[in-house]
């Protein structure tokens, strides 16, 4: 069973770096979860995401990043423009260390929960410095 060492919310892109720094703990895998309550795909994927993260055996720190519709739909968006994040769709799970991500369809539908669990288990153990 997974140990979620930390599940923190990040209310805005301006706070992303400081929230990441706060959750980085030794050998934990650090995953950013980009989602928005306004997004139908995000609402549909939430159950699978939470179940998969809870069922994995990895030590994990999760940063749940709130994506605001008006900003996301605008021409310039901090998470999209940030080279380390490169957000292109939501929902997204992002390995903060490697930049590897599961995006939208990877999280939805049949097999989504198992895909997420396998992905989390495959992430490398290493501390991340922002």
């Amino acid at each position: 069973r997974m140990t979620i060492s930390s599940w923190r919310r990040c209310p805005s892109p301006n706070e992303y770096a400081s929230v990441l720094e706060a959750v980085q703990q030794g050998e934990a895998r650090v995953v950013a979860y980009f989602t928005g309550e306004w997004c139908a795909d995000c609402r549909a994927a939430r159950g699978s995401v939470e179940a998969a993260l809870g069922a994995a055996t990895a030590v994990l720190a999760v940063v749940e990043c709130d994506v605001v519709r008006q900003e996301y739909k605008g021409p310039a968006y901090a998470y999209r423009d940030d080279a380390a994040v490169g957000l292109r769709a939501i929902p997204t799970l992002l390995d903060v260390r490697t930049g590897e991500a599961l995006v939208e369809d990877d999280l939805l539908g049949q097999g989504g929960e198992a895909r997420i669990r396998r992905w989390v288990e495959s992430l490398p153990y290493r501390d991340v410095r922002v």
Side-chain angles (χ1 to χ4, degrees):
R1 185 119 175 104
M2 179 198 280
T3 303
I4 295 180
S5 58
S6 177
W7 189 300
R8 298 269 311 260
R9 291 190 68 97
C10 181
S12 76
N14 294 338
E15 298 171 57
Y16 184 68
S18 61
V19 171
L20 275 185
E21 191 169 329
V23 301
Q24 293 169 0
Q25 302 174 17
E27 296 295 309
R29 294 166 168 109
V30 180
V31 173
Y33 173 35
F34 297 91
T35 186
E37 288 299 319
W38 55 270
C39 169
D41 286 344
C42 296
R43 291 190 307 271
R46 180 168 288 283
S48 293
V49 169
E50 290 178 355
L53 296 180
T57 59
V59 176
L60 187 69
V62 178
V63 176
E64 184 174 341
C65 301
D66 294 326
V67 175
V68 176
R69 179 184 171 90
Q70 296 88 329
E71 295 170 12
Y72 178 73
K73 297 289 185 177
Y77 183 53
Y79 287 136
R80 186 173 40 245
D81 299 340
D82 182 330
V85 176
L87 186 68
R88 56 186 198 273
I90 59 172
T92 292
L93 286 173
L94 173 72
D95 174 17
V96 172
R97 180 175 178 269
T98 66
E100 183 181 336
L102 289 181
V103 179
E104 208 168 18
D105 290 341
D106 297 328
L107 306 175
L108 295 165
Q110 214 170 47
E113 184 178 329
R115 258 190 311 279
I116 297 164
R117 193 175 318 137
R118 284 191 306 272
W119 179 77
V120 168
E121 295 294 338
S122 74
L123 299 178
Y125 284 102
R126 295 246 176 113
D127 193 16
V128 179
R129 299 286 177 217
V130 180

